[in-house]
Each structure stands twice: as C-alpha cells, then as structure tokens.
Amino acid sequence: MDEIWFHLSNQVETLQIQTSLFAQQGQQWVITWLTQARQIFYELYENQTMQNVKDIVQHILIWIENAWEQLQHRYYNTHFNVRILYRQIKSLYTNGASKRELAFSLTGLVVGTLLGYYAGVNWGHVSHHMHHIKAIICHHYIGIEGVSMIDDAEMPMIERSNELLVQVKAASVNVVDTKICYGYSKIYRRLLNSGKHKELPVTLGRDCTGIVIGIGQSVINFDIGDEVLLAVPSWAPGTMAEYIVVPETQVVKRPKLFTFEASASLPYNGCLAWDALVNRSAIQEGNAKGKRVLIYGGNTPVGCILTQLVKLWGGHVVTMCKQNAIPVSKALGADDVIPLDNSDIEKELQLHDKFDTIFYTGGQPINERILKQHLASYGFYVSTVPEQLTSDSLGLVFGSIFAGCVRIKLLIQYVLGFNMHQWKEGSKINATYLQALCDLVDADQLQMVVDRVYGPHNIEQALYHILDPNAIGSTIITFQ
C-alpha cells in the first residue's frame, strides 16, 4: 500500500507545476460549489429516514472543505506532499471513521479534483481575457442604430498553431457592413463559425491593416512586428477591433508606400475588383487591350480600383459617377466620365459604342436593364455589390434543410481538403489577389483613394457616409 501511495506521490509532484496555473482560479469556484452542494444535499436529505446518509454527506463535505483549505495553505507556504495527506487519511481511519465514510471521502476528493482540473483548464482561457479592448459591435439586427463601440470586448488569443495575433491600426467601412446590421449572412455566420461568433453580437469590419504581435507555433511566413493587411468574408468575425486573430493564409505584408489608413482601403474592395475583372469579365489578367469597359459607380471604393486596373492593363474605360467625383475619376485614368447629376443616362450612353463588360459597383440606384442594353454581343455584366442571400429569409423548415445541406458540403470539403472560407464572397477574397494588388501599390501603379477617416466612436457617421452617393473612395476607421 505504501508503495502505491509513493508512486502516486511522484505522479502528483510532476503535475505540481501544471496545477499552479489554475489553482488560484479554481479556488473561489470550488468554495462556492461546496457551499451550494451542501445546501442542495440539505434539501434533498431533509427526510428523517435519511438522517444517517445526511450525516455522512455532511461529514464528507466538511472534510473536503477542510482538506482544500489545508491543501491551499500547504501550496502557498510549503510544498504539497501526498505522504502527509496519506498519513492524515490513515489517522482518520484509525480514529474511528468507517471504511464506507472513508470511501465516500476519497470519492469526493477524486471527483472534486477532476472538477477543479476541468474548471482550471477551461477558466484558464478566461484569465487571458481580463484585458479588455475596443471593438465596434452590432448588438441587434435593426440597422445602423444597433451598432456601437464598446471598450470591454474580450482580448482574442491564439488558439491554433497557424494563427496570428494582429494589432489593428485601421479598417475600412464597406456597404456590406451596413447590410450586416440588418442580418445579412446571419445563417452562414451561424453555420460556418464556432463559439460566440455564431450569434449576436457581431463585430463589424471586412478588412484591416495592422501589426503582428503574436504568432502560432507553425507560422513560417510572418514574424512579430510585421505590418500586414487582410480581408475576411461577410460571415466571418469582423476586423473592427483593437486586436484580432486570423490564419496566416489570409494575411499579406502591407505595402510601405502608403499609411495604415490608406492601405486599409485595399484588401476587401481590391479583392472584389480583382475577382470581378479576372474571373467574371471579358478581361484576362494583365490584358484588357481592345476591351471597352463601363464602370457604373466609378467613385465607389471598388470602382476606383477597377478604373485603375483596366487602364493599367490597356483597356478603354468609361465611368459613371456624381459630378463632384469626376475630377478624381479622370485622375485615376478614366477616358470618359458620364455625370449622374440631372442628365439623361440613356441618351448619354447612346453616344458611346457598346461595351464588352459593364461593372455595377453601387452608388446612386439605377435600373440595371438600362445598362445591360449597352452590352456588346456576348458581353459581361458584373455586379460587385453584396448579393441578396435567400438563406437569410428562410423559415424554420427550409432553414433546417438548408443548414443540413451546408453541413454536408462542409464535411465533403473537409474530407477533400478544401478551404472552408470558399463560401459566397469568401471565394473572392484570396491572398494571391491581395499580394498582386500590393505589388502594384509598391510599384506605384495603383493609388489608394480615401475620402474620410473616423474614430471608432464615430462609427454611426462612418456607416451613413459609406451609403452617401457623393462619397468618393474609401471610408476608414482608425484605431491608432
């Protein structure tokens, strides 16, 4: 028997360092649990016929509580020694405690230890979140009125070996953020995320720039101190927070030619523009020679990037925008600009030859049929605005069927090794596209257009501004 206890003593001593990480956090929880458990047992065993069992349970609880206090005292003042605990148990037995009582006591000790270990391991993560950060949160799907900045959001922590902890310097505000305020992509958010990111509150922001301040064990392409930018799809956790955690596969080192605020205008809108050109239009990557392109909304963030890319690749660009944005659109390379202020759009378009590709990027509403009438044969009409998601309006029955289909597809993707981020506009957000855009910026071939910069507390103004047809380029939130 002594050999067994000696062996157990060695095992427990090897775990002493590990238990020090959670002993303090579990202390208050265990004491509270013991108090509540004692009260419950009192209520359960009030019947006089169960008086003997009640006495045993009471004895066990008192003994465990005393043992915990002694253990705590020994932990902080000396070294925990299992041999002493064994001698105490042996003394208790020789002083008249029955084998049954001793068995109950040991069982309670083991159960309590396991519960304490579980609580310590899980509550250990809570201790990391004691540092609160600022974040821009959508609390309710009631529109922009349901958004506010909070300063007690949990500090995110690296949980996977391929993740980066990024200190956010700036993030752009996008039209999709305003739609998220009304519940856009809420079903995908529930199905594709884990933990607290499934439901409200939702952190806004689809992209950002920042500095890497922490790296996972398997990260090989980034170091602490690297300045980066990134983009995430509409259903993923947002970027409008002081700190975020993301996989390194979504991150690219930012161009040094521009500030953090200017660089923040590139990731999300740049990826949408690149995908629209390369994957959904008549233009091949790097070659738009001989192509005529119409960009409706040349003043939008996506429109500003599209204009520059088409011109850089040799195409002919006609943009449509408000009068105040015409100088900017021409400065970005537009060959001609059709004003949207008090002009007959159909007559203006008739003055131009038909187009190989027409991009609709938002801004002032228009009947898309008017634009499509001016497409050349086999031309492409491409919209870059957030598409309507049928899943957001499904009821319980059809919503359950849809959820089942998504989960089956997720399982198939997992088995085949596909990236789960390839859902809806997630397929358009590609680090390869982002790197190509950054290379163009570094080569001084792509300019960033920033209209206004707001602080986090002015998020409501920023969201309304991005919806203003007179806005030119990107609207930025800075966390510096």
Side-chain angles (χ1 to χ4, degrees):
M1 185 68 176
D2 288 334
E3 292 181 357
I4 294 175
W5 279 101
F6 180 77
H7 179 66
L8 290 173
S9 175
N10 290 336
Q11 288 184 329
V12 172
E13 288 173 357
T14 59
L15 294 173
Q16 188 173 1
I17 295 177
Q18 296 180 9
T19 59
S20 65
L21 296 176
F22 63 83
Q24 188 173 2
Q25 290 90 342
Q27 171 190 354
Q28 188 62 40
W29 181 84
V30 170
I31 294 174
T32 303
W33 177 79
L34 290 174
T35 304
Q36 293 176 348
R38 181 186 297 176
Q39 182 64 32
I40 292 172
F41 279 121
Y42 280 162
E43 296 174 359
L44 290 175
Y45 297 107
E46 196 63 33
N47 193 313
Q48 292 298 321
T49 61
M50 298 297 294
Q51 185 62 40
N52 292 334
V53 177
K54 175 182 175 182
D55 292 340
I56 293 174
V57 171
Q58 182 179 5
H59 179 76
I60 292 173
L61 292 174
I62 293 174
W63 184 88
I64 292 176
E65 189 169 356
N66 292 334
W68 176 259
E69 292 176 355
Q70 293 177 15
L71 175 63
Q72 192 178 5
H73 175 76
R74 292 177 182 276
Y75 176 79
Y76 287 108
N77 295 278
T78 58
H79 292 287
F80 179 73
N81 195 322
V82 177
R83 295 190 187 92
I84 297 176
L85 178 62
Y86 168 59
R87 286 197 292 269
Q88 291 176 346
I89 296 174
K90 188 175 181 180
S91 174
L92 180 66
Y93 176 70
T94 58
N95 288 336
S98 67
K99 291 183 178 180
R100 184 180 180 184
E101 290 174 331
L102 186 58
F104 271 114
S105 299
L106 291 175
T107 301
L109 178 62
V110 172
V111 172
T113 301
L114 293 175
L115 288 173
Y117 177 78
Y118 177 81
V121 169
N122 288 276
W123 286 21
H125 295 294
V126 176
S127 64
H128 292 303
H129 295 304
M130 293 304 291
H131 176 56
H132 291 153
I133 63 173
K134 294 178 181 178
I136 294 174
I137 302 294
C138 173
H139 300 276
H140 308 285
Y141 292 137
I142 59 175
I144 295 176
E145 293 76 12
V147 176
S148 66
M149 186 205 77
I150 61 174
D151 56 10
D152 59 350
E154 291 183 350
M155 174 74 178
M157 302 299 294
I158 293 175
E159 297 179 356
R160 296 180 176 85
S161 60
N162 69 329
E163 291 180 333
L164 304 175
L165 176 61
V166 178
Q167 180 185 19
V168 176
K169 293 296 185 180
S172 72
V173 184
N174 296 283
V175 172
V176 70
D177 290 309
T178 66
K179 291 184 174 291
I180 290 174
C181 297
Y182 290 94
Y184 183 82
S185 201
K186 61 183 178 182
I187 300 301
Y188 283 111
R189 190 172 299 112
R190 188 177 304 152
L191 294 173
L192 302 178
N193 291 325
S194 60
K196 63 182 180 181
H197 300 300
K198 287 177 171 288
E199 303 290 348
L200 291 168
V202 178
T203 304
L204 297 184
R206 297 304 100 201
D207 57 9
C208 70
T209 57
I211 300 175
V212 177
I213 63 171
I215 59 176
Q217 294 180 348
S218 65
V219 172
I220 58 176
N221 295 318
F222 298 91
D223 292 314
I224 294 176
D226 284 345
E227 298 180 355
V228 298
L229 45 73
L230 60 102
V232 296
S234 60
W235 48 263
T239 59
M240 287 187 188
E242 288 185 293
Y243 298 90
I244 62 170
V245 170
V246 289
E248 69 166 325
T249 53
Q250 295 178 241
V251 181
V252 170
K253 293 180 181 178
R254 83 171 185 90
K256 300 296 179 124
L257 194 60
F258 294 102
T259 63
F260 281 108
E261 290 83 1
S263 299
S265 67
L266 180 65
Y268 186 76
N269 294 300
C271 285
L272 294 185
W274 188 281
D275 172 78
L277 275 172
V278 174
N279 297 326
R280 299 193 288 158
S281 77
I283 297 172
Q284 296 179 346
E285 182 176 343
N287 183 13
K289 293 180 179 179
K291 303 297 183 182
R292 291 180 50 81
V293 175
L294 174 66
I295 301 174
Y296 183 91
N299 57 311
T300 67
V302 174
C304 290
I305 296 174
L306 281 173
T307 301
Q308 296 179 79
L309 290 177
V310 174
K311 282 304 298 180
L312 179 64
W313 293 351
H316 181 88
V317 181
V318 177
T319 64
M320 303 179 70
C321 60
K322 301 282 281 185
Q323 188 74 35
N324 66 312
I326 290 178
V328 174
S329 190
K330 288 185 175 181
L332 294 176
D335 295 288
D336 198 2
V337 180
I338 298 176
L340 295 177
D341 302 83
N342 302 319
S343 60
D344 190 326
I345 295 176
E346 292 192 73
K347 289 183 177 180
E348 291 285 349
L349 288 172
Q350 289 173 1
L351 300 176
H352 297 268
D353 295 333
K354 291 194 174 183
F355 301 94
D356 298 289
T357 301
I358 296 177
F359 294 102
Y360 176 75
T361 69
Q364 182 174 317
I366 188 176
N367 187 339
E368 294 184 2
R369 178 188 58 81
I370 297 176
L371 299 177
K372 292 178 180 179
Q373 289 177 349
H374 296 275
L375 272 176
S377 299
Y378 308 105
F380 292 82
Y381 182 87
V382 181
S383 174
T384 64
V385 301
E387 61 178 315
Q388 187 71 28
L389 298 179
T390 304
S391 59
D392 287 338
S393 58
L394 293 176
L396 178 61
V397 175
F398 290 104
S400 300
I401 296 173
F402 177 80
C405 295
V406 170
R407 290 191 174 99
I408 292 173
K409 187 173 180 179
L410 281 173
L411 178 61
I412 295 174
Q413 285 187 339
Y414 177 78
V415 172
L416 298 179
F418 289 105
N419 188 343
M420 68 164 289
H421 282 84
Q422 303 302 305
W423 287 83
K424 295 303 176 181
E425 94 273 31
S427 62
K428 306 169 188 176
I429 299 172
N430 191 308
T432 303
Y433 303 163
L434 195 49
Q435 185 60 64
L437 291 164
C438 289
D439 291 341
L440 293 177
V441 174
D442 283 329
D444 199 18
Q445 294 180 316
L446 189 63
Q447 300 296 315
M448 301 296 99
V449 181
V450 175
D451 191 4
R452 294 187 185 180
V453 177
Y454 293 91
H457 56 284
N458 290 324
I459 180 57
E460 187 172 334
Q461 298 177 39
L463 289 169
Y464 279 119
H465 181 70
I466 197 66
L467 296 175
D468 186 352
N470 292 307
I472 304 173
S474 297
T475 301
I476 305 296
I477 295 291
T478 179
F479 286 91
Q480 295 194 63

